[in-house]
Amino acid sequence: MDSTLAIRARGITKCFGDVVALDDADLEVAQGQIHGLVGPNGAGKTTLLGLLLGLTVADSGRLEVFGTPVGRAFEAPGGVAGFVDGPGLYPSLTARQNIAALAALRGDDTRSAGIDDVLGQVGLTDVADDRTRGFSLGMRQRLGLAAALLGKPRLLVLDEPFNGLDPAGKKHVHGVLTRLAREGTSVVLSSHRMDDVEALCSEVTILATGRVVFSGPLGKLATENRELDYRLLTSDPEHARRLAAEAPGIHLAEDTDGRPGGEVLVLRAQVAALDALVVRLIHEGVSLRELAPVVSPLEAAFLDLTEHRTSESPQRKTHAQQQETGR
């Protein structure tokens, strides 16, 4: 196996009864990379995270973590920590006691387990001695992250870690994950929040009905051959409207404020056509105040790649079974 990879999965299939959760899925995650896992509900994201944490085992395929094949035992591979479906906490215990209980279960010396350090990393020092039954969802998510950090994992696996976080909490968690990756820790996270995925992840895997429909750098999703809708705000909206209407490859949509002659224009265009319009606007003395996709490239690609699959009936056969019966 490539020594620079933290995860290498090939042909992973997992069924629960006649429901195919993962169908011939591949995944590669480099060491020190934050890798996003996105997909509609029921796409197989939680199942894949569970495989990495040793909570379930694949029916077929091969999974390696840091070069070591993951066997059939229900246990997390060495150096892996995280949570799925939210962190499990004891509501009657304080934040500090929850972390100490986890340390004790792992056989660590709770006096030197770094409890205060991990609580400080996630910004929970001030509530370390408060019972967790009163914690908000965001505080519970941060405590779950603290628990995962306790053993200084080489691979961190997180399921919807940004749920319930306020802007300050999200910024704090972003900083923690970015620092960990910079120090060499690999992170795999699932999220429905495309802004978080785009802000943190260098690569992303998109799942739909158990199959990988895209895996690679985010830049590949922002292809210059795909038309996107863009918001355009300028110093002279009427002049910008006339130039956009004349420009090849530019399609004017209804203004976002719903009024003819509104200040914000919505344009559908490929990148090359949009670039040409911007050059012409500047040449004619029209200043740009805002130019941004209405829907992010990741979200647009997500919808393109998953909508037609999720509209189909649920899978009842794996890809391999379909090939077999089709012969």
Side-chain angles (χ1 to χ4, degrees), residues 22-265:
L22 290 172
D23 182 7
D24 199 32
D26 295 344
L27 176 68
E28 287 189 356
V29 177
Q31 293 188 28
Q33 179 187 92
I34 304 179
H35 193 102
L37 198 60
V38 299
N41 291 333
K45 304 185 299 296
T46 299
T47 300
L48 184 52
L49 297 181
L51 287 168
L52 296 174
L53 287 170
L55 301 176
T56 187
V57 295
D59 297 327
S60 61
R62 182 175 179 84
L63 173 62
E64 297 175 353
V65 176
F66 299 115
T68 301
V70 175
R72 307 295 298 176
F74 288 94
E75 60 180 358
V80 181
F83 57 80
V84 295
D85 293 326
L89 303 173
Y90 298 101
S92 62
L93 299 183
T94 67
R96 192 190 309 278
Q97 288 169 337
N98 266 279
I99 302 297
L102 176 63
L105 286 172
R106 297 174 52 159
D108 297 335
D109 183 352
T110 57
R111 293 170 298 179
S112 59
I115 295 172
D116 289 338
D117 176 57
V118 295
L119 289 171
Q121 287 186 54
V122 301
L124 292 180
T125 299
D126 291 344
V127 294
D129 295 312
D130 293 351
R131 297 186 188 278
T132 59
R133 65 161 51 96
F135 278 19
S136 67
L137 173 58
M139 292 168 68
R140 293 198 300 271
Q141 293 293 92
R142 283 195 278 167
L143 185 55
L145 177 58
L149 295 177
L150 188 62
K152 294 181 173 56
R154 298 169 62 198
L155 171 62
L156 195 58
V157 178
L158 303 173
D159 188 13
E160 299 289 350
F162 311 111
N163 276 356
L165 293 180
D166 60 22
K170 184 169 74 167
K171 180 180 179 182
H172 196 113
V173 171
H174 278 211
V176 171
L177 298 182
T178 301
R179 175 183 56 79
L180 288 170
R182 189 168 57 245
E183 294 173 353
T185 300
S186 304
V187 181
V188 177
L189 61 88
S190 76
S191 180
H192 286 106
R193 298 183 60 100
M194 300 299 173
D195 56 338
D196 289 313
V197 174
E198 289 184 308
L200 284 171
C201 300
S202 56
E203 296 200 3
V204 64
T205 293
I206 301 177
L207 287 167
T209 59
R211 304 209 72 200
V212 173
V213 295
F214 174 84
S215 191
L218 279 168
K220 284 189 176 181
L221 291 173
T223 173
E224 296 189 358
N225 297 320
R226 176 184 287 120
E227 286 190 340
L228 292 178
D229 290 341
Y230 295 88
R231 286 169 46 90
L232 175 64
L233 179 62
T234 68
S235 60
D236 189 342
E238 285 306 316
H239 195 173
R241 179 189 300 279
R242 288 194 299 272
L243 293 179
E246 298 169 359
I250 301 286
H251 308 283
L252 275 166
E254 181 180 332
D255 297 339
T256 56
D257 56 17
R259 300 192 307 271
E263 290 190 352
V264 179
L265 302 180

